[in-house]
Amino acid sequence: MIDGIDGVWTCAQCSLPSLETWKAPSSFFDMAARRSSVLLVALLLCLPSFLHSFQPLFAFDGNTTSTHRDITQRAILRKTAEVCQTLAADEGRGFSLTIDDSLTAFSVQQACSSDGRTVGALLSTVMFQTSIAKIYLSNAAVDVLLALSTQHHFDDESFQAGRDIIKDGVSAIKASVKQENFLAGRLTLGLICHTLQDFYSHSNWVELGNSAPYSTLVRPDQPLENLAGQSTPTCRNCTGESCKDNILPDVLQQGLLTSGYFNLFSSTKPAGKCSHGGSFDRTSRQDPIGGINKDSISASHGYLHQTAANLAVDATIELLEDIRVAVGDKSFLRLMGLSQASVLCFVIDTTGSMSDDIEEAKRVSFAIIDLLKGTQQEPSAYILVPFNDPDFGPVIVTTDSDIFKAHINKLTASGGGDIPEMCLSALQLALTAAPPSSEIFVFTDAPAKDEHLKSAVTALIESTKTVVTFMLTQVLTSRRRRRMLQNQKGAASRSMSQTDAQLYRDLARASGGQAIEVTKSELPQATSVIEDSSASAVVTIFQAVRNPGRPDNFAFEVDRSMRNITAYITGASSLTFSLTSPTGVSQASTETSGPLGSFTTVGNLRRFRFSADNLTGSWDISINSDAIYSLKVIGQSSVNFIYHLVEAHEGAHSDFGLKEGRPLIGGNVSLLVTVTGSDTAEVREASLVEGSGSQVNGSVQSLGGGNFLVKFSDLPAGEFVLLLKGGDSATSRSTTPSGNFQRQASTQMKTSSISVTVQTDSITVKPGSTISIPFTVSTSTNGVVNTAGSGSFAMRISNDRSYPSTSPTTISTAEGGQANGTVALTVPASAVSGSDVTLIVEAENTATADSNYAMLRLSVVAEVTDVTRPVFTQASVSAACPSLCSTSQWEFSANITDGVNGTGVESLTVRKGNGTLNTSTVVGAEGENITLATYSASCCSRDVELVAVDGAGNVGTCVAQARSTDTSTTAPETTVTPAAVVATTSTGGHTLTLSQCLWVSLALSFVWI
């Protein structure tokens, strides 16, 4: 039990040691022991209604409270729609969508995809909605990982520190986008959105009568002004239950900015200062009593909750606009994940015997690129990771298919030393580089030399829900096959035993992929699975594995939206099967072409392509084999789903937070499920299917907006996949079977009796620094941490960048049933800002071989020293524009500089205008680089907007306009000493929007804003 904080609660489900006698030390934040920090965070997760910000994900008060998720999603959808609208206008296309708060991910992607090339095409919103979810889940994680960080919530009048978080984060996002590391950018974006949004709930900005966002928070070159001094009283006691008028009149009249103080353990605060408020804020019991937060409608200033939430939406849009201006419209849409297709990702063994495999990888990737380039189905990115021994990588990530082609063309088969290669190290790089829910194809003919990474790779597969398919050549299955392989060129010295191949089979099974075993001559036939996966809107209808093998029957449902259904069966050559349609028509494996479709066999893979007729309804497939086999049925449909493992925070402000790692055996499990590709599809049944075929059924609760909370009780030990069934909310539940849908997750969910948690003071790290990350390991019984448990754990600590780290190799439980340790991770000074590093902390019970993991993705953020935007000077317009515009030209010129101490103008682009931009670079009198820009256009196009971005992502914008007149007006000249021209470029195009602007007009003076 916990007492002394307004009540008593039990903590049986909190993964904590006994806290019955625990009390906060008088100087809690000065404690050096990392274990106390871990204990503190665990405590916070247990406390009901602790959260002191907008609710993270969901409100259960009839949708009257706006959450961080609502605010973030509203802003993303509106800004994304605006960018699509701008691009449509630039391309001369229509855009039929009203941009307001009623937007959905489906409606936005549908409008953004209407380019005339997608008529009749399926629309997949999985990438878009997964990206949005990553952003708002990262946002919500701040309330768990950084719960007591005042600056991350703008508590305690920490305005400068809070803005620094936003400043550094924005810089890192822009750097991530520049490197095309969009996932790292999304995670950082969620983090700073939380801080920015909390400003409007925790400060008195709304009470001061402001109706627009505080732009200075995203403009670090502007000073924070009118802040209440530390000794300035800001509040008075609330009157009874009402805190409506508790901010002092003088503060409001003078427009002083303040925020509430918050402390979980101490009531101490500066004299006369406002408190945050709420039952867990001890400072709110100290005069002046009460609080000013607007986190919910029931908060101290809850009457202003919706106003604060709306301002938070506008502020988030303003932040997104700043990022958009810096990175460009198309890169911004990639950051938002607005793509119908996932990535094309290859991990390729480049050792001497792999020449045929490399050529086939080139062929199939080039065929996919050439077929899909320029369409909505073009892969959102291309990823390539080569490996041999002892080298692996580097990982190539690009959105340019020509760059990918060039890199894969450079691959040659050579060397390799001994036979085993660094396959899992390369796969680990691919798993952290690819966005969640991707599919990765691995080409190899050799065992893994780094099989010690199997558990880390499995953890990454589970966490990212990535499908991995192995294209394995030269797997020895018999003496006859060995003789056949030895007759092939280069095959005698390199082969893979059944034991070697089993590692790859295990990883494929965990991911929902396949281990396809063929000869080198058969490989071109097997790569058809890669072409299948690159089609639009691919979904998994059903999959199963039988290990050990046994004869079994499988049933699956096909709905009206499904197209191009394909079944894959891998297994021994003796395997047979029979397929039965909803109308009772059957086709056996002895018929390669029949009434239901046709199939081919290559190596251990059977690929059955269903005919296009009479697909809807319940299908049955019977498989007969005593050896291990797998079955996977896919098709194309707009309707799909994404899901995340979450855990509940009980109490008056009940909500959920993302849970990393494996769920505990015997515990209760909650999944947040989002239906994608439809605004009317709903989940009606959910179950976890174990490898043997047994099921655990869950309860389904609709949360609105296509979101569903699925709960499972008393989850047994095992490996499960999520199976969903549902229908259209506009139809009756008694709809015919062909109107219902069935979808299945690919990646397995494994349970464990071990709990692993990590805690850090920050989820960002600077280049050249070392970060200490404490972790806690414990055992559980029936889903609850066993405080009397004992045991020893083998620790495996790894990171995808191979950065140096130190940590214990074994730990043992102490008092309270917990074992504690610390990882010290060093990020080299050469690490690039905007990159990231994924740390995996694995624990294995040495007595039972049970294991679990925790994962932490850290963003690398360099200290920002340049916050000054590029400046336009010596701007002028020459030539008059007569009324007959088609026969005349006008010209605009300006000098752009980032100053002597700036990072330099990195790009200059045309945001608006149909003319030609020419630039050259000179060196100024003080050694600064000056960009000389000249823009010329027809007088029929009289507006131009130029955008300059420096190396730190700061943006300067200049707008010029030519009017119909017979005279010419030139800006006042300022002296700049010219120097030799060192670079000249010419470009025409579009990008970005406003920041610091210069208006230039014929017959008008210049105006700077």
Side-chain angles (χ1 to χ4, degrees):
M1 294 181 150
I2 305 173
D3 58 13
I5 314 179
D6 271 5
V8 178
W9 299 273
T10 60
C11 275
Q13 303 293 327
C14 300
S15 302
L16 290 173
S18 175
L19 295 173
E20 295 173 3
T21 60
W22 187 91
K23 293 185 179 180
S26 58
S27 182
F28 190 88
F29 293 104
D30 292 332
M31 295 182 65
R34 283 291 187 175
R35 185 181 178 191
S36 298
S37 298
V38 177
L39 181 60
L40 171 62
V41 171
L43 170 64
L44 297 180
L45 296 180
C46 182
L47 298 177
S49 68
F50 164 72
L51 300 172
H52 63 296
S53 65
F54 288 119
Q55 288 289 108
L57 294 176
F58 295 98
F60 297 89
D61 57 1
N63 295 321
T64 57
T65 291
S66 293
T67 67
H68 277 293
R69 174 187 165 276
D70 299 327
I71 293 166
T72 303
Q73 185 161 269
R74 284 163 59 190
I76 289 173
L77 293 177
R78 281 168 52 182
K79 180 51 62 178
T80 301
E82 287 175 16
V83 175
C84 288
Q85 187 178 48
T86 298
L87 287 174
D90 290 345
E91 296 170 5
R93 297 186 285 108
F95 186 83
S96 56
L97 183 67
T98 301
I99 300 177
D100 56 24
D101 285 337
S102 66
L103 296 174
T104 65
F106 180 75
S107 67
V108 170
Q109 181 143 358
Q110 189 174 49
C112 291
S113 302
S114 300
D115 61 358
R117 296 173 293 176
T118 57
V119 177
L122 294 169
L123 179 70
S124 173
T125 63
V126 168
M127 288 288 293
F128 189 29
Q129 292 189 250
T130 298
S131 299
I132 294 174
K134 283 298 177 186
I135 295 169
Y136 68 63
L137 288 169
S138 175
N139 184 322
V142 175
D143 274 330
V144 177
L145 292 175
L146 302 165
L148 292 185
S149 170
T150 58
Q151 61 264 37
H152 282 88
H153 306 280
F154 275 110
D155 292 334
D156 298 10
E157 298 181 314
S158 56
F159 296 112
Q160 184 62 56
R163 188 176 71 166
D164 285 346
I165 287 172
I166 297 171
K167 174 196 69 177
D168 293 345
V170 169
S171 177
I173 293 166
K174 294 173 181 178
S176 294
V177 173
K178 187 186 299 184
Q179 299 173 54
E180 299 189 343
N181 188 354
F182 299 111
L183 179 56
R186 291 169 197 141
L187 296 176
T188 306
L189 178 58
L191 167 70
I192 63 172
C193 279
H194 187 106
T195 301
L196 178 65
Q197 292 160 8
D198 270 0
F199 170 83
Y200 297 93
S201 177
H202 296 181
S203 76
N204 67 330
W205 182 258
V206 175
E207 287 85 346
L208 289 172
N210 294 294
S211 58
Y214 189 27
S215 298
T216 302
L217 295 179
V218 295
R219 301 273 295 269
D221 57 329
Q222 296 183 354
L224 294 164
E225 297 179 330
N226 229 28
L227 304 181
Q230 187 173 2
S231 60
T232 302
T234 54
C235 268
R236 58 192 176 191
N237 286 337
C238 295
T239 304
E241 297 295 323
S242 174
C243 289
K244 189 172 184 179
D245 299 317
N246 63 332
I247 298 179
L248 292 176
D250 286 351
V251 171
L252 299 177
Q253 291 167 8
Q254 297 174 41
L256 297 180
L257 190 62
T258 186
S259 68
Y261 281 72
F262 180 91
N263 198 302
L264 183 66
F265 304 105
S266 172
S267 60
T268 301
K269 64 180 176 183
K273 289 296 185 181
C274 300
S275 290
H276 174 87
S279 58
F280 283 92
D281 177 17
R282 297 290 294 266
T283 74
S284 65
R285 304 171 205 169
Q286 175 78 24
D287 286 345
I289 295 172
I292 63 170
N293 85 83
K294 296 161 282 293
D295 292 341
S296 67
I297 59 171
S298 60
S300 302
H301 280 202
Y303 68 99
L304 294 173
H305 166 76
Q306 203 55 56
T307 303
N310 290 337
L311 270 177
V313 172
D314 294 340
T316 306
I317 291 174
E318 186 178 58
L319 173 70
L320 294 173
E321 176 67 10
D322 177 77
I323 296 169
R324 171 200 178 187
V325 168
V327 304
D329 287 350
K330 292 184 178 179
S331 290
F332 176 81
L333 293 181
R334 292 188 181 109
L335 176 64
M336 296 299 103
L338 192 72
S339 173
Q340 292 212 48
S342 186
V343 299
L344 182 64
C345 182
F346 284 179
V347 177
I348 303 179
D349 184 343
T350 61
T351 45
S353 61
M354 286 290 293
S355 57
D356 293 341
D357 307 58
I358 292 172
E359 287 304 313
E360 177 55 23
K362 291 179 184 178
R363 185 202 67 78
V364 70
S365 62
F366 287 10
I368 292 169
I369 290 169
D370 294 341
L371 176 66
L372 301 178
K373 188 173 183 178
T375 71
Q376 292 289 339
Q377 287 71 47
E378 181 177 4
S380 57
Y382 302 90
I383 300 175
L384 175 65
V385 188
F387 70 93
N388 48 51
D389 178 27
D391 299 322
F392 58 93
V395 58
I396 306 299
V397 182
T398 179
T399 55
D400 189 329
S401 60
D402 290 334
I403 292 177
F404 178 81
K405 279 186 172 183
H407 279 286
I408 202 169
N409 257 331
K410 293 178 183 176
L411 296 182
T412 57
S414 63
D418 55 358
I419 293 177
E421 313 298 345
M422 303 296 284
C423 181
L424 299 195
S425 297
L427 179 54
Q428 185 179 44
L429 281 178
L431 284 164
T432 55
S437 304
S438 297
E439 184 160 7
I440 296 172
F441 294 94
V442 181
F443 292 78
T444 188
D445 64 357
K449 192 168 193 174
D450 47 4
E451 60 181 330
H452 64 277
L453 288 175
K454 178 183 179 182
S455 57
V457 168
T458 302
L460 281 168
I461 286 171
E462 293 175 3
S463 178
T464 62
K465 303 176 182 65
T466 297
V467 175
V468 182
T469 291
F470 293 88
M471 313 299 293
L472 305 177
T473 52
Q474 300 187 184
V475 178
L476 301 180
T477 58
S478 66
R479 291 180 181 177
R480 178 179 180 183
R481 184 172 179 85
R482 182 181 289 108
R483 288 195 301 270
M484 177 180 66
L485 289 171
Q486 289 174 343
N487 289 330
Q488 296 182 10
K489 182 179 66 174
S493 60
R494 286 176 62 87
S495 60
M496 208 183 314
S497 70
Q498 287 293 303
T499 301
D500 296 332
Q502 191 59 46
L503 169 67
Y504 299 134
R505 295 178 191 132
D506 292 344
L507 291 173
R509 179 165 56 95
S511 73
Q514 300 166 87
I516 299 172
E517 303 167 26
V518 293
T519 65
K520 292 187 179 294
S521 61
E522 293 171 333
L523 185 60
Q525 297 171 266
T527 53
S528 59
V529 300
I530 303 177
E531 296 174 288
D532 292 344
S533 72
S534 66
S536 62
V538 175
V539 303
T540 299
I541 304 170
F542 180 80
Q543 68 178 33
V545 175
R546 291 295 179 263
N547 183 18
R550 69 171 188 270
D552 212 339
N553 298 313
F554 307 93
F556 55 92
E557 189 84 17
V558 175
D559 61 271
R560 295 191 189 98
S561 72
M562 295 299 308
R563 305 180 190 175
N564 301 325
I565 301 176
T566 304
Y568 303 108
I569 303 172
T570 62
S573 58
S574 58
L575 180 148
T576 61
F577 67 88
S578 177
L579 182 68
T580 304
S581 74
T583 59
V585 177
S586 295
Q587 182 174 336
S589 53
T590 54
E591 305 171 82
T592 57
S593 181
L596 302 182
S598 59
F599 81 93
T600 56
T601 300
V602 54
N604 68 334
L605 173 69
R606 296 154 185 82
R607 177 177 177 265
F608 190 99
R609 191 76 169 176
F610 287 54
S611 61
D613 300 327
N614 301 319
L615 293 175
T616 57
S618 297
W619 289 75
D620 292 288
I621 185 167
S622 174
I623 297 179
N624 187 6
S625 178
D626 292 326
I628 181 175
Y629 62 86
S630 69
L631 166 67
K632 185 171 187 176
V633 183
I634 65 168
Q636 291 175 265
S637 171
S638 295
V639 180
N640 206 348
F641 74 96
I642 60 175
Y643 75 96
H644 295 88
L645 183 65
V646 295
E647 57 186 353
H649 305 297
E650 303 296 339
H653 290 177
S654 306
D655 204 355
F656 293 84
L658 183 67
K659 177 178 173 55
E660 279 284 5
R662 295 171 179 142
L664 298 179
I665 296 171
N668 299 329
V669 175
S670 298
L671 300 177
L672 174 59
V673 175
T674 302
V675 176
T676 65
S678 171
D679 286 334
T680 59
E682 64 177 11
V683 178
R684 295 171 182 169
E685 299 177 26
S687 57
L688 291 175
V689 183
E690 203 264 335
S692 65
S694 62
Q695 295 188 9
V696 178
N697 296 322
S699 63
V700 179
Q701 176 188 356
S702 175
L703 301 174
N707 297 289
F708 299 85
L709 184 63
V710 179
K711 296 181 179 180
F712 299 92
S713 300
D714 303 323
L715 193 63
E719 299 171 342
F720 304 88
V721 289
L722 178 62
L723 175 66
L724 300 179
K725 295 183 179 181
D728 195 311
S729 61
T731 63
S732 167
R733 289 177 177 266
S734 60
T735 301
T736 59
S738 58
N740 297 330
F741 71 83
Q742 172 181 319
R743 301 290 183 270
Q744 188 165 317
S746 296
T747 309
Q748 287 184 347
M749 180 190 306
K750 186 178 181 180
T751 57
S752 174
S753 62
I754 299 174
S755 171
V756 183
T757 59
V758 296
Q759 177 60 26
T760 178
D761 297 332
S762 175
I763 52 180
T764 62
V765 60
K766 292 181 179 180
S769 66
T770 298
I771 183 172
S772 294
I773 302 165
F775 60 84
T776 301
V777 181
S778 55
T779 59
S780 66
T781 303
N782 296 325
V784 180
V785 167
N786 184 358
T787 58
S790 62
S792 296
F793 304 94
M795 302 304 303
R796 292 186 292 267
I797 312 296
S798 61
N799 69 83
D800 62 324
R801 304 293 182 186
S802 299
Y803 291 162
S805 66
T806 58
S807 59
T809 56
T810 59
I811 56 176
S812 300
T813 53
E815 183 180 354
Q818 292 184 319
N820 300 285
T822 300
V823 180
L825 176 69
T826 300
V827 176
S830 59
V832 179
S833 184
S835 62
D836 61 353
V837 54
T838 300
L839 177 72
I840 306 174
V841 179
E842 301 174 79
E844 180 178 325
N845 190 318
T846 55
T848 65
D850 186 16
S851 66
N852 205 343
Y853 65 90
M855 196 172 300
L856 186 64
R857 194 158 190 151
L858 299 166
S859 296
V860 179
V861 181
E863 184 176 357
V864 179
T865 57
D866 179 11
V867 297
T868 304
R869 293 168 291 158
V871 177
F872 289 77
T873 62
Q874 285 192 292
S876 65
V877 172
S878 63
C881 278
S883 56
L884 186 60
C885 64
S886 60
T887 60
S888 301
Q889 295 270 327
W890 70 286
E891 188 175 276
F892 165 72
S893 63
N895 294 351
I896 305 98
T897 178
D898 197 38
V900 177
N901 298 319
T903 48
V905 175
E906 194 167 88
S907 66
L908 181 66
T909 51
V910 180
R911 160 94 172 99
K912 180 181 181 181
N914 295 319
T916 300
L917 176 66
N918 292 286
T919 65
S920 60
T921 304
V922 300
V923 178
E926 298 180 5
E928 77 278 18
N929 287 332
I930 301 173
T931 299
L932 308 179
T934 302
Y935 172 84
S936 59
S938 165
C939 281
C940 297
S941 177
R942 299 179 182 178
D943 298 288
V944 64
E945 184 178 356
L946 301 182
V947 174
V949 182
D950 67 15
N954 301 305
V955 179
T957 307
C958 181
V959 178
Q961 184 182 66
R963 292 187 177 179
S964 296
T965 178
D966 292 331
T967 61
S968 155
T969 302
T970 304
E973 294 289 336
T974 59
T975 302
V976 174
T977 303
V981 174
V982 297
T984 303
T985 60
S986 177
T987 182
H990 303 272
T991 330
L992 320 179
T993 73
L994 49 138
S995 180
Q996 181 181 25
C997 303
L998 173 65
W999 289 87
V1000 185
S1001 304
L1002 286 175
L1004 286 181
S1005 61
F1006 296 97
V1007 181
W1008 287 90
I1009 58 175

